[in-house]
Short mmCIF file of all heavy atoms in Angstrom, two decimals:
data_model
loop_
_atom_site.label_atom_id
_atom_site.label_comp_id
_atom_site.label_asym_id
_atom_site.label_seq_id
_atom_site.Cartn_x
_atom_site.Cartn_y
_atom_site.Cartn_z
N MET I 1 16.99 12.15 13.30
CA MET I 1 16.21 13.37 12.92
C MET I 1 15.24 13.05 11.78
O MET I 1 15.45 12.16 11.00
CB MET I 1 17.23 14.42 12.41
CG MET I 1 16.63 15.71 11.83
SD MET I 1 17.26 16.11 10.20
CE MET I 1 16.22 17.51 9.71
N ALA I 2 14.17 13.88 11.76
CA ALA I 2 13.15 13.70 10.76
C ALA I 2 12.67 15.12 10.44
O ALA I 2 13.24 16.13 11.11
CB ALA I 2 11.96 12.87 11.17
N TYR I 3 11.81 15.36 9.42
CA TYR I 3 11.20 16.66 9.23
C TYR I 3 9.78 16.54 8.99
O TYR I 3 9.27 15.47 8.48
CB TYR I 3 12.01 17.51 8.31
CG TYR I 3 11.95 17.22 6.79
CD1 TYR I 3 10.83 17.61 6.03
CD2 TYR I 3 12.88 16.37 6.16
CE1 TYR I 3 10.76 17.34 4.74
CE2 TYR I 3 12.73 16.05 4.84
CZ TYR I 3 11.78 16.59 4.06
OH TYR I 3 11.59 16.37 2.73
N VAL I 4 9.04 17.63 9.20
CA VAL I 4 7.66 17.66 9.00
C VAL I 4 7.17 18.60 7.83
O VAL I 4 7.66 19.79 7.94
CB VAL I 4 6.91 18.09 10.35
CG1 VAL I 4 5.39 17.89 10.24
CG2 VAL I 4 7.55 17.39 11.59
N ARG I 5 6.46 18.16 6.99
CA ARG I 5 5.97 18.99 5.91
C ARG I 5 4.88 19.93 6.32
O ARG I 5 4.07 19.63 7.24
CB ARG I 5 5.59 18.19 4.75
CG ARG I 5 6.59 17.45 4.10
CD ARG I 5 6.14 16.64 2.74
NE ARG I 5 7.06 16.03 2.00
CZ ARG I 5 7.96 16.57 1.14
NH1 ARG I 5 7.80 17.82 0.91
NH2 ARG I 5 8.87 15.83 0.55
N LYS I 6 4.79 21.15 5.68
CA LYS I 6 3.57 21.98 6.00
C LYS I 6 2.35 21.38 5.61
O LYS I 6 1.27 21.51 6.27
CB LYS I 6 3.85 23.34 5.30
CG LYS I 6 4.99 24.14 5.87
CD LYS I 6 5.16 25.38 5.05
CE LYS I 6 6.39 26.12 5.58
NZ LYS I 6 6.65 27.40 4.82
N LYS I 7 2.32 20.59 4.56
CA LYS I 7 1.16 19.85 4.15
C LYS I 7 1.59 18.64 3.37
O LYS I 7 2.83 18.50 2.87
CB LYS I 7 0.30 20.66 3.25
CG LYS I 7 0.85 21.26 2.04
CD LYS I 7 -0.09 22.13 1.23
CE LYS I 7 0.49 22.72 0.05
NZ LYS I 7 -0.44 23.58 -0.73
N SER I 8 0.85 17.61 3.25
CA SER I 8 1.24 16.40 2.59
C SER I 8 1.45 16.63 1.14
O SER I 8 0.89 17.55 0.48
CB SER I 8 0.13 15.36 2.73
OG SER I 8 -1.07 15.75 2.16
N LYS I 9 2.22 15.81 0.43
CA LYS I 9 2.62 15.98 -0.98
C LYS I 9 1.48 15.77 -1.89
O LYS I 9 1.54 16.18 -3.01
CB LYS I 9 3.87 15.09 -1.23
CG LYS I 9 5.09 15.29 -0.61
CD LYS I 9 6.28 14.67 -1.21
CE LYS I 9 6.13 13.10 -0.77
NZ LYS I 9 7.33 12.34 -1.29
N GLY I 10 0.47 14.93 -1.48
CA GLY I 10 -0.64 14.67 -2.29
C GLY I 10 -0.45 13.37 -3.21
O GLY I 10 -1.17 13.10 -4.10
N HIS I 11 0.75 12.82 -3.03
CA HIS I 11 0.98 11.50 -3.77
C HIS I 11 1.95 10.67 -3.07
O HIS I 11 2.41 11.11 -2.01
CB HIS I 11 1.57 11.92 -5.17
CG HIS I 11 2.92 12.63 -5.14
ND1 HIS I 11 2.92 14.03 -4.95
CD2 HIS I 11 4.22 12.19 -5.02
CE1 HIS I 11 4.31 14.34 -4.89
NE2 HIS I 11 4.98 13.20 -4.97
N GLY I 12 2.23 9.45 -3.49
CA GLY I 12 3.09 8.53 -2.82
C GLY I 12 2.38 8.16 -1.48
O GLY I 12 1.17 7.87 -1.40
N ARG I 13 3.11 8.29 -0.30
CA ARG I 13 2.65 7.80 0.98
C ARG I 13 1.62 8.93 1.49
O ARG I 13 1.00 8.71 2.44
CB ARG I 13 3.78 7.56 1.96
CG ARG I 13 4.60 6.43 1.57
CD ARG I 13 5.66 6.13 2.66
NE ARG I 13 6.52 7.31 2.83
CZ ARG I 13 6.58 8.08 3.90
NH1 ARG I 13 5.90 7.82 4.86
NH2 ARG I 13 7.49 9.07 3.87
N ASN I 14 1.70 10.17 0.95
CA ASN I 14 0.87 11.16 1.32
C ASN I 14 1.12 11.60 2.78
O ASN I 14 0.06 11.95 3.52
CB ASN I 14 -0.65 10.93 1.04
CG ASN I 14 -1.52 12.12 0.84
OD1 ASN I 14 -1.04 13.12 0.32
ND2 ASN I 14 -2.77 12.04 1.34
N SER I 15 2.27 11.42 3.21
CA SER I 15 2.65 11.71 4.57
C SER I 15 3.30 13.04 4.79
O SER I 15 3.95 13.60 3.88
CB SER I 15 3.67 10.63 5.14
OG SER I 15 4.07 10.92 6.42
N ARG I 16 3.11 13.65 6.01
CA ARG I 16 3.74 14.89 6.31
C ARG I 16 5.06 14.73 6.94
O ARG I 16 5.82 15.67 7.13
CB ARG I 16 2.83 15.75 7.19
CG ARG I 16 1.58 16.33 6.38
CD ARG I 16 0.80 17.18 7.34
NE ARG I 16 1.46 18.26 7.79
CZ ARG I 16 1.06 19.20 8.73
NH1 ARG I 16 -0.08 18.83 9.37
NH2 ARG I 16 1.77 20.25 9.14
N ILE I 17 5.33 13.46 7.29
CA ILE I 17 6.58 13.18 8.10
C ILE I 17 7.59 12.46 7.04
O ILE I 17 7.26 11.55 6.41
CB ILE I 17 6.33 12.15 9.28
CG1 ILE I 17 5.33 12.74 10.22
CG2 ILE I 17 7.61 12.01 10.00
CD1 ILE I 17 5.52 14.11 10.78
N GLU I 18 8.88 13.08 6.95
CA GLU I 18 9.93 12.37 6.31
C GLU I 18 10.95 11.98 7.18
O GLU I 18 11.41 12.76 8.02
CB GLU I 18 10.49 13.41 5.24
CG GLU I 18 9.41 13.91 4.22
CD GLU I 18 8.97 12.94 3.25
OE1 GLU I 18 9.59 11.82 3.19
OE2 GLU I 18 8.03 13.19 2.57
N GLY I 19 11.35 10.68 7.16
CA GLY I 19 12.29 10.10 8.04
C GLY I 19 11.51 9.12 8.89
O GLY I 19 10.30 8.88 8.84
N ASN I 20 12.27 8.41 9.73
CA ASN I 20 11.65 7.37 10.62
C ASN I 20 11.13 7.98 12.00
O ASN I 20 11.89 8.62 12.73
CB ASN I 20 12.71 6.28 10.98
CG ASN I 20 13.12 5.56 9.69
OD1 ASN I 20 12.28 5.29 8.79
ND2 ASN I 20 14.44 5.13 9.70
N MET I 21 9.78 7.70 12.19
CA MET I 21 9.20 8.20 13.48
C MET I 21 8.20 7.15 13.87
O MET I 21 7.34 6.70 13.08
CB MET I 21 8.47 9.58 13.28
CG MET I 21 7.99 10.21 14.62
SD MET I 21 7.25 11.80 14.29
CE MET I 21 8.68 12.76 13.79
N ALA I 22 8.40 6.59 15.12
CA ALA I 22 7.44 5.50 15.52
C ALA I 22 6.56 5.89 16.67
O ALA I 22 6.78 6.90 17.41
CB ALA I 22 8.36 4.38 15.98
N ALA I 23 5.47 5.14 16.80
CA ALA I 23 4.59 5.37 17.91
C ALA I 23 5.35 5.33 19.24
O ALA I 23 6.08 4.47 19.46
CB ALA I 23 3.40 4.29 17.90
N GLY I 24 4.96 6.34 20.08
CA GLY I 24 5.65 6.41 21.31
C GLY I 24 6.91 7.24 21.41
O GLY I 24 7.41 7.53 22.43
N ASP I 25 7.51 7.59 20.24
CA ASP I 25 8.70 8.34 20.25
C ASP I 25 8.44 9.67 20.87
O ASP I 25 7.41 10.30 20.46
CB ASP I 25 9.11 8.60 18.70
CG ASP I 25 9.99 7.42 18.22
OD1 ASP I 25 10.35 6.53 19.03
OD2 ASP I 25 10.30 7.36 16.93
N ARG I 26 9.34 10.21 21.63
CA ARG I 26 9.24 11.53 22.23
C ARG I 26 10.02 12.53 21.30
O ARG I 26 11.29 12.35 21.13
CB ARG I 26 9.86 11.52 23.63
CG ARG I 26 9.15 10.57 24.53
CD ARG I 26 9.96 10.35 25.82
NE ARG I 26 11.30 9.81 25.48
CZ ARG I 26 12.44 9.63 26.31
NH1 ARG I 26 12.27 10.09 27.60
NH2 ARG I 26 13.48 9.15 25.89
N VAL I 27 9.28 13.53 20.72
CA VAL I 27 9.80 14.23 19.62
C VAL I 27 10.12 15.68 20.16
O VAL I 27 9.20 16.33 20.67
CB VAL I 27 8.90 14.20 18.47
CG1 VAL I 27 9.40 15.16 17.29
CG2 VAL I 27 8.66 12.88 17.97
N LEU I 28 11.25 16.21 19.78
CA LEU I 28 11.51 17.67 19.91
C LEU I 28 11.39 18.31 18.64
O LEU I 28 12.05 17.98 17.66
CB LEU I 28 13.02 17.87 20.41
CG LEU I 28 13.44 19.32 20.49
CD1 LEU I 28 12.66 20.13 21.53
CD2 LEU I 28 14.91 19.38 20.72
N LEU I 29 10.33 19.26 18.56
CA LEU I 29 10.16 19.98 17.30
C LEU I 29 11.01 21.29 17.26
O LEU I 29 11.02 21.99 18.18
CB LEU I 29 8.71 20.40 17.23
CG LEU I 29 8.19 21.33 16.09
CD1 LEU I 29 8.47 20.75 14.71
CD2 LEU I 29 6.86 21.82 16.29
N VAL I 30 11.73 21.44 16.19
CA VAL I 30 12.65 22.56 16.05
C VAL I 30 12.33 23.41 14.93
O VAL I 30 12.07 22.84 13.76
CB VAL I 30 14.07 22.07 15.85
CG1 VAL I 30 15.05 23.12 15.53
CG2 VAL I 30 14.61 21.30 17.14
N GLU I 31 12.16 24.69 15.14
CA GLU I 31 12.03 25.71 14.06
C GLU I 31 12.99 26.80 14.25
O GLU I 31 13.64 26.92 15.29
CB GLU I 31 10.59 26.18 13.96
CG GLU I 31 9.59 25.23 13.34
CD GLU I 31 8.35 25.86 12.91
OE1 GLU I 31 7.46 26.07 13.58
OE2 GLU I 31 8.46 26.24 11.62
N ASP I 32 12.96 27.77 13.31
CA ASP I 32 13.95 28.86 13.45
C ASP I 32 13.30 29.90 14.42
O ASP I 32 14.04 30.47 15.19
CB ASP I 32 14.21 29.49 12.17
CG ASP I 32 13.06 30.00 11.39
OD1 ASP I 32 11.99 29.55 11.64
OD2 ASP I 32 13.26 30.91 10.55
N LEU I 33 12.06 30.17 14.36
CA LEU I 33 11.42 31.31 15.22
C LEU I 33 9.92 30.92 15.59
O LEU I 33 9.34 30.05 14.88
CB LEU I 33 11.55 32.53 14.61
CG LEU I 33 10.95 32.72 13.19
CD1 LEU I 33 9.45 33.12 13.26
CD2 LEU I 33 11.72 33.99 12.45
N ALA I 34 9.50 31.65 16.43
CA ALA I 34 8.02 31.57 16.84
C ALA I 34 7.38 32.87 16.87
O ALA I 34 7.96 33.81 17.53
CB ALA I 34 7.87 30.76 18.18
N THR I 35 6.23 33.05 16.42
CA THR I 35 5.41 34.29 16.49
C THR I 35 4.27 34.02 17.33
O THR I 35 4.22 34.27 18.53
CB THR I 35 5.03 34.86 15.17
OG1 THR I 35 4.40 33.76 14.42
CG2 THR I 35 6.27 35.35 14.38
N ASP I 36 3.12 33.59 16.70
CA ASP I 36 1.90 33.24 17.40
C ASP I 36 1.74 31.77 17.73
O ASP I 36 0.75 31.41 18.48
CB ASP I 36 0.63 33.78 16.69
CG ASP I 36 0.32 33.01 15.47
OD1 ASP I 36 1.24 32.22 14.97
OD2 ASP I 36 -0.56 33.39 14.67
N GLY I 37 2.66 30.99 17.36
CA GLY I 37 2.69 29.58 17.72
C GLY I 37 1.81 28.68 16.69
O GLY I 37 1.85 27.44 16.95
N GLY I 38 1.24 29.26 15.72
CA GLY I 38 0.37 28.49 14.77
C GLY I 38 1.07 27.38 14.18
O GLY I 38 0.46 26.15 14.04
N SER I 39 2.24 27.54 13.61
CA SER I 39 3.04 26.44 12.83
C SER I 39 3.36 25.32 13.80
O SER I 39 3.37 24.22 13.45
CB SER I 39 4.16 27.07 12.11
OG SER I 39 5.17 27.54 12.97
N LYS I 40 3.63 25.78 14.96
CA LYS I 40 4.17 24.66 16.02
C LYS I 40 2.94 23.72 16.27
O LYS I 40 3.15 22.54 16.35
CB LYS I 40 4.50 25.26 17.36
CG LYS I 40 5.49 26.47 17.25
CD LYS I 40 6.86 26.12 16.73
CE LYS I 40 7.69 27.35 16.44
NZ LYS I 40 7.20 28.13 15.28
N ILE I 41 1.74 24.26 16.39
CA ILE I 41 0.61 23.52 16.65
C ILE I 41 0.35 22.60 15.50
O ILE I 41 0.10 21.45 15.66
CB ILE I 41 -0.69 24.43 16.93
CG1 ILE I 41 -0.39 25.12 18.27
CG2 ILE I 41 -1.92 23.56 17.07
CD1 ILE I 41 -1.38 26.29 18.50
N SER I 42 0.42 23.04 14.31
CA SER I 42 0.09 22.27 13.01
C SER I 42 1.12 21.13 12.93
O SER I 42 0.78 20.04 12.69
CB SER I 42 0.22 23.14 11.81
OG SER I 42 0.16 22.35 10.62
N PHE I 43 2.46 21.44 13.13
CA PHE I 43 3.55 20.44 13.12
C PHE I 43 3.36 19.37 14.12
O PHE I 43 3.49 18.21 13.86
CB PHE I 43 4.92 21.03 13.21
CG PHE I 43 5.30 21.84 11.92
CD1 PHE I 43 6.01 23.05 12.04
CD2 PHE I 43 5.06 21.40 10.63
CE1 PHE I 43 6.35 23.77 10.92
CE2 PHE I 43 5.44 21.98 9.55
CZ PHE I 43 6.13 23.26 9.63
N ALA I 44 3.03 19.85 15.36
CA ALA I 44 2.89 18.92 16.49
C ALA I 44 1.70 17.94 16.25
O ALA I 44 1.80 16.80 16.53
CB ALA I 44 2.63 19.63 17.76
N GLU I 45 0.63 18.44 15.62
CA GLU I 45 -0.41 17.53 15.29
C GLU I 45 -0.12 16.56 14.27
O GLU I 45 -0.55 15.41 14.40
CB GLU I 45 -1.72 18.46 14.74
CG GLU I 45 -2.38 19.18 15.81
CD GLU I 45 -3.37 20.33 15.33
OE1 GLU I 45 -3.41 20.45 14.10
OE2 GLU I 45 -4.16 20.82 16.05
N ALA I 46 0.72 17.01 13.30
CA ALA I 46 1.22 15.92 12.25
C ALA I 46 2.04 14.85 12.85
O ALA I 46 1.94 13.65 12.63
CB ALA I 46 1.84 16.65 11.14
#
């Protein structure tokens, strides 16, 4: 498991991803709910 920040911290590695995630990994994105899908798109892009 990893998690995705809404935006980068602005310091350190400046990454939105916390945890190990490698190129080619097939990721299932989990949230509590979906309305218009906007947050899913942002997280998927990260």
Side-chain angles (χ1 to χ4, degrees):
M1 181 232 168
Y3 73 87
V4 191
R5 293 184 178 276
K6 293 177 182 177
K7 59 182 180 180
S8 60
K9 293 188 293 184
H11 60 274
R13 294 184 300 114
N14 206 35
S15 173
R16 290 180 63 190
I17 307 297
E18 299 292 350
N20 294 324
M21 189 177 292
D25 279 350
R26 300 165 300 168
V27 182
L28 172 64
L29 172 64
V30 174
E31 283 203 273
D32 59 335
L33 57 83
T35 52
D36 63 359
S39 67
K40 312 296 172 292
I41 294 166
S42 175
F43 287 138
E45 287 174 349

